[in-house]
Amino acid sequence: MQGFNDLLLSKKTCVKEITFSGDKTAIDHIFHLESPNIHNQITEFDEKIFFTGWIIGKKQSVKFIRFCTSEKIIEETKVERSRPDVTLNYPDFPNTEMSGFLESLKMDELSNNGEIILEAIFDDGTIVKIATIKYEKYLSKGSLLSIANNIGNNWIESPYYEKAEKSLQGFWDESTCFKKLFNQLDLTHVLELACGHGRHGEKLRGKAQKLTMMDINTSNIEFCTERFKNEKNFEVIKNNGINFQPIPDNSVRSIFCYDAMVHFDHRCVLSYLQDTKRILVPGGLALYHHSNYPNNNFKHYGQNPHARNYMTKELFAEYATGSGLIIKEQIVINWGDEKDLDCITLVGT
């Protein structure tokens, strides 16, 4: 398995150099590449690198653009996109009106470092090398924070919070699996991750000796600060979306997170699990409600059922044990009409 620390980094591809064979206005053709450009950065969430431009032959048309490496042909695309601007600028050349091209290559099909060679295939079958694009794949340390912030931004001033206040029975009724697992938590000092507007904190008035409520969004912090301003044993803290800073080491007896981690990127989940180990006291417990949606399809998570992000029961367990935590219990549950969409996992130190 890929190292855990590497999983916390996001993959990017950077275009390092573009060279044209001879000249863009060579004897047999005129070629213009509009994208990619030098220093373009493509993240793994973009999934593909796009090539756009146009090419015209001086005596005959170009039928295809071929994309290849030194070892193999990756793709061929027809030169058939409408380019009236090219016709306007080069009225004496043949077939300029349909001289554009557009192609995308999947990044996971490219080696870590290398080059993509572009070739023009003319009507008579002649093949001419027209450009070489050098790229480099690397891991970015700062981008996990950006991923967390992008997800957090989706929930700023969301109508979800008002609706969620009316649907607490599934978490707090004594007969539910949530409550049965929650009853194992020590409420001497409990931390709620992604507290939102504090609907679960409301259930802990008079029960938690100390409650720390944590959220990435300032608007939620302000809401909960006002809501619980008279609760002297409640504190509300803004965090960065990937760990429990500034909570001290070995200072919390229990953690829970309901109906929020289901939306987290799996690397953010891993980051939280690693920090769970740091802040829990020996023998402490954490109860996490997370996704069990197995399709890592690179779509925006909002397009998945109930906006679940990629995660599985098994992957969560692997992340947790790899972070030094002990799996106490895992329960796969339905959510709405979706069977086995979520999982509740109780971990300990």
Side-chain angles (χ1 to χ4, degrees):
M1 179 184 172
Q2 184 182 9
F4 280 137
N5 289 332
D6 283 351
L7 282 172
L8 297 181
L9 307 177
S10 183
K11 297 175 185 176
K12 288 188 176 183
T13 302
C14 181
V15 176
K16 304 294 289 184
E17 183 181 332
I18 301 175
T19 56
F20 297 95
S21 301
D23 193 311
K24 286 189 289 185
T25 56
I27 295 173
D28 48 10
H29 68 273
I30 301 177
F31 170 59
H32 180 65
L33 184 67
E34 293 167 332
S35 69
N37 298 308
I38 295 178
H39 305 312
N40 272 175
Q41 292 187 0
I42 303 96
T43 71
E44 63 191 294
F45 294 101
D46 299 323
E47 187 182 2
K48 298 177 180 179
I49 180 171
F50 286 87
F51 297 82
T52 61
W54 55 266
I55 185 168
I56 53 177
K58 295 185 177 181
K59 294 183 178 179
Q60 57 177 316
S61 300
V62 178
K63 293 183 66 175
F64 299 97
I65 298 292
R66 174 181 289 171
F67 301 84
C68 51
T69 66
S70 56
E71 294 86 21
K72 64 178 182 178
I73 297 172
I74 305 172
E75 192 63 76
E76 286 185 2
T77 186
K78 287 185 178 181
V79 179
E80 59 178 5
R81 295 178 66 84
S82 176
R83 292 302 301 247
D85 55 323
V86 178
T87 302
L88 183 64
N89 289 315
Y90 299 94
D92 298 329
F93 285 72
N95 301 320
T96 54
E97 66 277 1
M98 302 296 288
S99 58
F101 64 88
L102 168 65
E103 186 56 80
S104 59
L105 302 182
K106 291 184 178 180
M107 288 167 47
D108 59 7
E109 295 179 355
L110 304 177
S111 60
N112 286 337
N113 297 295
E115 58 184 32
I116 301 168
I117 300 166
L118 276 62
E119 297 175 337
I121 304 177
F122 288 82
D123 280 338
D124 64 0
T126 301
I127 300 174
V128 176
K129 181 178 176 181
I130 54 177
T132 301
I133 298 173
K134 293 184 178 180
Y135 66 88
E136 177 183 349
K137 288 185 178 180
Y138 64 98
L139 295 170
S140 171
K141 293 183 178 179
S143 48
L144 191 62
L145 288 169
S146 298
I147 292 169
N149 279 312
N150 286 338
I151 293 174
N153 289 341
N154 295 151
W155 301 93
I156 295 175
E157 305 296 340
S158 170
Y160 158 83
Y161 299 112
E162 185 175 352
K163 295 178 183 177
E165 292 281 346
K166 304 172 184 177
S167 57
L168 288 168
Q169 296 88 346
F171 297 100
W172 296 102
D173 283 358
E174 290 295 334
S175 61
T176 67
C177 52
F178 282 95
K179 191 62 166 66
K180 289 176 180 178
L181 293 179
F182 187 87
N183 287 341
Q184 299 182 45
L185 302 187
D186 182 345
L187 301 186
T188 304
H189 182 190
V190 57
L191 183 150
E192 182 189 4
L193 174 63
C195 61
H197 282 186
R199 61 174 176 148
H200 297 300
E202 196 68 47
K203 292 290 185 178
L204 297 180
R205 288 186 192 264
K207 297 179 181 178
Q209 190 171 329
K210 180 179 180 181
L211 173 64
T212 298
M213 307 175 73
M214 180 170 279
D215 203 279
I216 191 175
N217 287 328
T218 300
S219 57
N220 290 346
I221 297 300
E222 293 171 348
F223 191 98
C224 287
T225 299
E226 176 62 25
R227 182 172 186 167
F228 299 107
K229 62 184 178 183
N230 295 323
E231 298 294 327
K232 303 304 181 185
N233 59 333
F234 283 22
E235 65 177 351
V236 187
I237 298 176
K238 186 179 186 300
N239 77 323
N240 59 11
I242 64 172
N243 58 43
F244 294 106
Q245 293 291 349
I247 302 297
D249 296 0
N250 304 315
S251 63
V252 175
R253 292 190 174 272
S254 57
I255 305 166
F256 76 100
C257 180
Y258 287 170
D259 205 17
M261 188 172 277
V262 290
H263 310 298
F264 292 1
D265 183 274
H266 70 100
R267 288 159 300 184
C268 295
V269 173
L270 170 59
S271 180
Y272 274 119
L273 287 171
Q274 291 184 334
D275 217 32
T276 296
K277 171 70 172 176
R278 179 184 67 82
I279 69 169
L280 281 179
V281 299
L285 295 173
L287 179 58
Y288 290 126
H289 171 207
H290 59 87
S291 172
N292 189 44
Y293 184 68
N295 296 333
N296 191 8
N297 51 22
F298 291 100
K299 294 193 300 186
H300 187 279
Y301 75 97
Q303 296 178 270
N304 297 330
H306 295 280
R308 268 33 183 180
N309 222 320
Y310 164 66
M311 175 54 67
T312 65
K313 171 188 172 184
E314 294 76 18
L315 182 60
F316 190 94
E318 187 175 0
Y319 282 179
T321 55
S323 300
L325 299 168
I326 302 166
I327 301 294
K328 299 291 188 177
E329 191 167 353
Q330 288 191 290
I331 304 174
V332 173
I333 61 172
N334 302 335
W335 197 263
D337 296 330
E338 297 289 336
K339 182 175 174 58
D340 298 341
L341 184 63
D342 290 357
C343 184
I344 314 167
T345 299
L346 183 68
V347 299
T349 53

